Every structure is written in structure tokens, then in C-alpha cells.
């Protein structure tokens, strides 16, 4: 029987790469999307071409009800979830002085409440299985802070506290909970940065380049595997040495 992995926000960027990487490792994949498009159906075909099953589940992780429907759909199909990757995330940057209440709330609702909504429901299933791996995508700015990102860095710092607390709650139940703190990764989230800013960022990174989604997916592959069976409650940086 193949293991089942559920990846939120898997339509592009880091989430898509994680979905494809775990499919190559022989997991059946549940892909969370919000809007159907040709690229979503193409992703399903790409996953299935690796010889595993793919279920597309529609929903906004900031909605408790939509999340509940997604988890129910996955459990109805496979009766288990072995790996959860809380990847869905947004930014709405701006200095605090100009940040609206809505822009603060929206980022917390998706990044932090979304992680709560999905994890709460998946953990109920993992407790029945007495087995599971939860991998939360945080960020280096959840540790270092970043000017213009009070909302985003608060959400990502919140994910770190959430990860460590849950790891303590679930350690005795054979459910491992870890966080990844990516640095600057080349996706649509960072595409908007001006070229000069990207060059300046790269200069300050010991490895002198931005990361690729595969750099994150490779660590997810390891944390999802049995090779990580004595690692829980950790925040692992994948940032080219940006933060030490
Ligand atoms: P992208 O913007 O490329 O992709 C974000 C994904 O999240 C999309 O699939 C998007 O779906 C989905 N998403 C957003 N909001 C929701 C929601 N409410 N419900 C369900 N899905 C949602 O971002 P990245 O791939 O770069 O980022 C992935 C994760 O990595 C995020 O958590 C981000 O914060 C984190 N990260 C990224 C870094 C980077 O440099 N890129 C650095 C550090 C952390 P849709 O297509 O519907 O918009």
C-alpha cells in the first residue's frame, strides 16, 4: 500500500515541486488548489505519469469548513494521510504604519490559521493511524523579522511556535512535526522583486544565489521518510547560509 501525502497550496512554486518530488518517491498525492486551471489538470497528469494516484481537492485553507471538506474527501478516498505539508502562504507587504487591518488579518488567516485548520483535522486521522509526519513551511523572516513584513513574519514565527508545541503534544503518538525555514526561493512570490534587489540579496547569501523549489522539496522528501524518524520539533533552515 502506498503512503498518502497532502500538500496545501500545491498549484505552483514550492508546493508544486514538493508534490512532484513526493510522487517520484511513490506517494499518492492530494493536491490542494483554489481555482481550477489547465496548469492544475496538467499537474495531476504529471503526478499520475509517475505511477501514483492524484486527488485534486479544492479549498481555501483559511476556511475551516472548506478545509474540513478537503480532508474528508482525502480520507474517503484513501482512509489515511501519512504526510501533511502545510505550504499554502501569501504575502501582503507594507510598513506597519501603512498596513491595513485587512492586510494583517488576511496573511495571518492563510498562513497561520490555515496551518491550524488543516493540521487540526489531519491530526485526528494521524492519531487513529498512530503514525504521521507534519511539515510546516515557515520562513527565515519568522526568525529574523523583515522590514515591511510585520504580518508575514508574525505568521511565520507563529508557525514555529505551533510546530514546537505540537511536536511536544504528539511525540508519544509517533507523529513527528517539523518546520522548514526557506530563505529566498525563486517562485512567483519573489518574482515581483526588482532584479537589482535580487542581486543585492544574492550578494548577502553565502552561497551567492537564490534557492530553487527543489532545494525545499529535497528536505521535505527527507523529513517525510523513515530516515528522519528521530527528528521532531525542529526548524531547519534552507537558505544558502543567509541566517546563521
Ligand atoms: P507561491 O506564491 O508561488 O505559491 C503559493 C501557493 O499557495 C499557491 O499554490 C497558492 O494558490 C496557494 N495559496 C495561497 N493562499 C491559499 C489559500 N488561502 N488556500 C489554499 N492555497 C493557497 O509561493 P511559494 O511557492 O514561493 O511559497 C510556498 C510557501 O513557502 C509559502 O508558505 C511561503 O510563505 C513559503 N516561503 C516562500 C519563500 C520564497 O522565497 N518563495 C521564502 C520563505 C517561505 P493559488 O494558485 O490559488 O494562489
Amino acid at each position: 500500500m502506498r503512503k498518502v501525502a497532502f500538500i496545501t497550496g500545491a498549484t505552483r512554486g514550492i508546493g508544486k515541486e514538493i508534490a512532484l518530488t513526493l510522487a517520484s518517491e511513490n506517494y499518492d498525492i492530494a493536491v490542494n488548489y483554489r481555482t481550477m486551471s489547465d496548469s492544475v489538470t496538467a499537474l495531476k497528469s504529471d503526478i499520475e505519469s509517475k505511477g501514483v494516484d492524484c486527488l485534486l481537492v479544492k479549498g481555501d485553507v483559511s476556511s475551516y469548513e472548506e478545509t474540513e471538506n478537503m480532508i474528508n474527501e482525502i480520507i474517503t478516498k484513501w482512509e489515511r494521510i501519512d504526510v501533511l505539508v502545510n505550504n499554502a502562504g501569501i504575502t501582503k507587504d507594507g510598513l506597519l504604519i501603512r498596513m491595513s487591518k485587512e492586510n494583517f488579518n488576511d496573511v495571518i488567516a492563510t498562513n497561520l490559521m490555515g496551518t491550524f485548520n488543516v493540521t487540526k483535522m489531519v491530526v485526528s486521522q494521524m492519531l487513529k493511524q498512530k503514525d504521521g509526519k507534519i511539515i510546516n513551511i515557515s520562513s527565515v523572516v519568522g526568525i529574523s523579522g523583515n522590514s515591511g513584513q510585520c504580518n508575514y513574519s508574525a505568521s511565520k514565527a507563529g508557525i514555529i511556535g505551533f510546530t514546537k508545541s505540537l511536536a511536544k503534544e504528539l511525540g508519544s503518538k509517533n507523529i513527528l512535526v517539523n518546520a522548514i525555514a526557506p530563505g529566498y526561493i525563486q517562485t512567483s512570490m519573489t518574482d515581483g522583486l526588482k532584479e537589482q534587489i535580487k542581486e543585492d540579496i544574492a550578494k548577502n547569501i553565502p552561497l551567492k544565489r537564490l534557492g530553487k523549489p527543489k532545494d525545499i522539496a529535497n528536505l521535505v522528501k527527507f523529513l517525510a521518510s523513515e530516515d528522519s524518524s528521530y527528528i521532531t520539533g525542529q526548524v531547519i533552515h534552507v537558505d544558502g547560509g543567509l541566517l546563521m
Side-chain angles (χ1 to χ4, degrees), residues 45-188:
S45 304
D46 287 348
I47 289 171
E48 288 170 345
S49 73
K50 295 174 189 293
V52 298
D53 287 343
C54 178
L55 179 68
L56 300 175
V57 286
K58 180 178 165 64
D60 180 334
V61 296
S62 69
S63 158
Y64 195 82
E65 292 70 27
E66 289 184 29
T67 302
E68 197 165 35
N69 291 339
M70 289 196 283
I71 309 297
N72 285 340
E73 250 188 273
I74 299 167
I75 292 170
T76 302
K77 182 170 172 67
W78 284 307
E79 295 176 349
R80 59 188 300 111
I81 299 177
D82 298 280
V83 176
L84 164 64
V85 186
N86 280 305
N87 167 79
I90 57 168
T91 53
K92 291 199 175 180
D93 296 350
L95 297 174
L96 182 76
I97 197 91
R98 288 198 282 270
M99 187 178 286
S100 66
K101 196 172 125 195
E102 288 72 26
N103 282 0
F104 190 85
N105 278 340
D106 287 353
V107 170
I108 299 291
T110 294
N111 300 4
L112 187 55
M113 277 304 291
T115 297
F116 166 81
N117 291 339
V118 179
T119 308
K120 184 171 163 61
M121 294 172 209
V122 170
V123 162
S124 302
Q125 175 60 31
M126 287 180 170
L127 283 170
K128 287 182 202 152
Q129 298 164 195
K130 298 186 176 60
D131 189 33
K133 302 270 172 60
I134 298 169
I135 302 159
N136 297 323
I137 308 297
S138 177
S139 166
V140 288
V141 306
I143 301 155
S144 65
N146 197 21
S147 173
Q149 291 196 308
C150 282
N151 49 2
Y152 183 74
S153 52
S155 73
K156 295 299 185 178
I159 287 175
I160 291 172
F162 180 90
T163 299
K164 292 180 180 180
S165 300
L166 193 62
K168 288 184 177 180
E169 287 182 22
L170 297 178
S172 63
K173 309 292 181 194
N174 197 34
I175 300 170
L176 310 186
V177 191
N178 289 291
I180 299 176
Y184 290 91
I185 308 297
Q186 286 173 314
T187 69
S188 52

